Amino acid sequence: MPCCVTWGSVGNEAQAGPSVRRASPVRQEQKSRQHHSSGSLKPCGQWQKMLVSPMAERNKELILEVLADYVDNTSQAFGLELASGTGQHVVHFAQALPNVTWQPSEISPSAHESISAYIRATKVQNVKKPLAIDVSQPWDQWAGLSQGCCNVIVIINLLHFLAQGLEVLFQGVGQLLKPGGVCLIYGPFAINGIISPECNVELEEKLQERNPAWGLRDVEELRQLATPNALRLERMVRFSVVWETGRFQGFGLSCREPRSY
């Protein structure tokens, strides 16, 4: 089952400024279900460098709904997206949250080209040039980002593809977030050692076949990594997927194929 999990930076929330506001205490929300197809990537029309993920196109608005709970649109903020993929998410967030300056990042050169093409195509003014960041490396090697620079960090469908460096990733998030900042992580997770529904079980098997070090992370494992880095679980929003009268009523990425770039 895919989730949006938000982690709050422990500290004086006033230091984060009014750009980030707190949602209600940790809770689980069940959204209505949808069916989704493969998240394969393909060139888009005349913009040959723009990669298109149908799955990202479907879920971007619903991820934004969760993200918007934490962003105050009356003041300026800085948001970092780690592993931005095609660039579809970051330009969508930028259009909806113009007071946030967004910093996309990726390790893949083809993804950099796609992100830059989306920035040009949408003419967004609040998205910076993508940075080359390898999240498996220590945070002080993340393209010169300074400690405490981020009000918001967004990570979408990354953790289950990390063969190594998960602990380093959480260390980086803890270092870069301002006190009172928020990290939103989206993807399929195991919960208390249980993987469900069946499509998540199938996804886990496919990941393990491709790389035994890949796989769905348990929320409790993430909690143990978060605590030493001054992060606390703020909220978990859970989603699942089925056919629903031909319309997308919820969202999820639990059955997506591993990245192809």
Side-chain angles (χ1 to χ4, degrees):
M1 181 174 294
C3 305
C4 272
V5 184
T6 51
W7 302 88
S9 177
V10 177
N12 183 0
E13 293 177 10
Q15 295 180 40
S19 300
V20 176
R21 61 174 181 261
R22 319 313 295 172
S24 57
V26 178
R27 68 184 186 272
Q28 293 183 344
E29 298 178 357
Q30 181 65 48
K31 295 282 188 179
S32 55
R33 298 179 175 185
Q34 78 163 42
H35 170 79
H36 65 270
S37 61
S38 170
S40 58
L41 305 175
K42 57 186 179 182
C44 177
Q46 62 180 344
W47 295 91
Q48 291 300 310
K49 293 182 179 181
M50 292 171 67
L51 300 174
V52 178
S53 165
M55 199 167 300
E57 196 63 28
R58 284 196 297 273
N59 68 43
K60 64 184 184 182
E61 179 62 28
L62 290 151
I63 295 176
L64 174 62
E65 289 179 9
V66 179
L67 181 61
D69 285 345
Y70 296 91
V71 176
D72 183 346
N73 60 13
T74 64
S75 59
Q76 297 300 306
F78 183 78
L80 169 67
E81 184 182 22
L82 294 173
S84 297
T86 63
Q88 288 164 267
H89 287 118
V90 73
V91 296
H92 184 68
F93 300 158
Q95 290 170 320
L97 303 169
N99 60 304
V100 181
T101 297
W102 288 97
Q103 177 61 73
S105 67
E106 253 295 347
I107 195 171
S108 161
S110 62
H112 276 231
E113 292 180 351
S114 181
I115 296 165
S116 297
Y118 273 101
I119 294 171
R120 291 193 299 271
T122 57
K123 296 180 171 59
V124 288
Q125 300 298 310
N126 55 325
V127 181
K128 291 178 172 290
K129 180 180 178 181
L131 296 176
I133 293 179
D134 181 350
V135 298
S136 68
Q137 299 300 310
W139 74 273
D140 57 2
Q141 297 180 31
W142 290 7
L145 292 173
S146 60
Q147 188 175 30
C149 66
C150 299
N151 299 95
V152 180
I153 296 176
V154 178
I155 304 171
I156 299 173
N157 275 321
L158 173 65
L159 302 194
H160 47 293
F161 296 118
L162 283 182
Q164 59 184 359
L166 189 59
E167 182 176 358
V168 172
L169 172 63
F170 269 82
Q171 290 171 353
V173 170
Q175 291 290 330
L176 294 181
L177 276 182
K178 295 177 182 291
V182 171
C183 175
L184 182 150
I185 302 177
Y186 175 78
F189 300 97
I191 300 175
N192 296 325
I194 298 173
I195 297 176
S196 67
E198 183 61 30
C199 62
N200 267 2
V201 176
E202 294 174 359
L203 173 61
E204 173 76 0
E205 292 173 352
K206 291 178 180 178
L207 291 169
Q208 292 282 296
E209 287 175 1
R210 292 193 59 173
N211 188 334
W214 288 355
L216 275 62
R217 306 298 184 178
D218 197 289
V219 173
E220 183 56 34
E221 175 192 7
L222 304 184
R223 193 196 303 270
Q224 292 175 10
L225 292 172
T227 301
N229 293 294
L231 299 168
R232 61 171 178 262
L233 178 62
E234 288 277 339
R235 180 185 182 195
M236 182 164 65
V237 185
R238 300 176 61 186
F239 308 92
S240 56
V241 290
V242 297
W243 282 107
E244 184 82 13
T245 64
R247 298 174 58 195
F248 295 116
Q249 301 292 335
F251 77 107
L253 296 181
S254 57
C255 299
R256 83 183 292 267
E257 290 295 323
R259 292 178 170 199
S260 59
Y261 58 86

